[in-house]
């Protein structure tokens, strides 16, 4: 009877340990700002903050696939990285509305950032 009690107690400790590990892992938010900072070097100084801001938003949509991002990628290619069921057209429309920039599925990330920078420069 005693060995069974030890096995039960050991099993409970193992389950509790795994539960705590999973909880700790899932409770950490991803610092997308730091994760996508690599994109800043691909843009001129006046567009770097905007490029990083847009990349952070994209990272929330596509997840860790954002590490593939280059300025020449189109919105269509970026939409394909996502596991979401949104089509490239829906994705493009959503991003255009989010930032108030007209774009289509063949708009490159660089062109999107340039349009957004020009729009914000006109507003200020």
């Amino acid at each position: 009877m005693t060995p069974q009690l030890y096995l039960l107690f050991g099993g409970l400790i193992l389950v509790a340990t795994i539960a705590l590990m999973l909880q700790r892992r899932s409770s950490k938010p991803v610092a997308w700002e730091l994760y996508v900072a690599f994109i800043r070097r691909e843009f001129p100084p006046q567009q770097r903050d905007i490029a990083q801001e847009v990349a952070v938003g994209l990272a929330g949509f596509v997840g860790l696939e954002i590490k593939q991002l280059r300025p020449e990628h189109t919105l269509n290619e970026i939409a394909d990285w996502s596991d979401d069921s949104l089509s490239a057209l829906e994705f493009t429309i959503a991003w255009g509305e989010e930032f108030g920039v007209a774009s289509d599925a063949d708009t490159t990330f660089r062109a999107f950032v340039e349009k957004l920078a020009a729009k914000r420069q006109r507003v200020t």
Side-chain angles (χ1 to χ4, degrees):
M1 187 70 144
T2 305
Q4 293 171 344
L5 185 61
Y6 286 126
L7 284 174
L8 176 65
F9 186 65
L12 289 174
I13 290 174
L14 180 63
V15 168
T17 302
I18 291 172
L20 287 173
M21 287 172 40
L22 291 175
Q23 178 186 12
R24 182 172 171 92
R25 183 178 302 159
S26 66
S27 66
K28 287 184 179 179
V30 177
W32 291 120
E33 294 84 9
L34 298 175
Y35 199 79
V36 299
F38 70 91
I39 201 67
R40 295 175 63 89
R41 69 177 181 261
E42 303 288 338
F43 289 89
Q46 65 274 19
Q47 295 176 353
R48 288 179 180 160
D49 290 339
I50 295 171
Q52 186 175 7
E53 176 188 346
V54 174
V56 166
L58 290 172
F61 179 68
V62 301
L64 295 176
E65 297 296 321
I66 197 68
K67 64 185 174 187
Q68 301 176 40
L69 182 64
R70 298 293 173 261
E72 60 274 359
H73 282 121
T74 64
L75 294 179
N76 187 26
E77 292 170 331
I78 296 168
D80 288 341
W81 297 341
S82 174
D83 293 334
D84 201 341
S85 62
L86 280 178
S87 70
L89 177 61
E90 293 169 326
F91 174 75
T92 303
I93 292 170
W95 276 100
E97 289 177 5
E98 173 79 20
F99 291 102
V101 175
S103 59
D104 60 20
D106 293 325
T107 302
T108 64
F109 181 73
R110 180 180 301 283
F112 190 86
V113 169
E114 289 170 350
K115 288 179 183 180
L116 184 56
K119 178 185 179 223
R120 288 186 179 175
Q121 193 172 26
R122 282 191 308 261
V123 172
T124 58

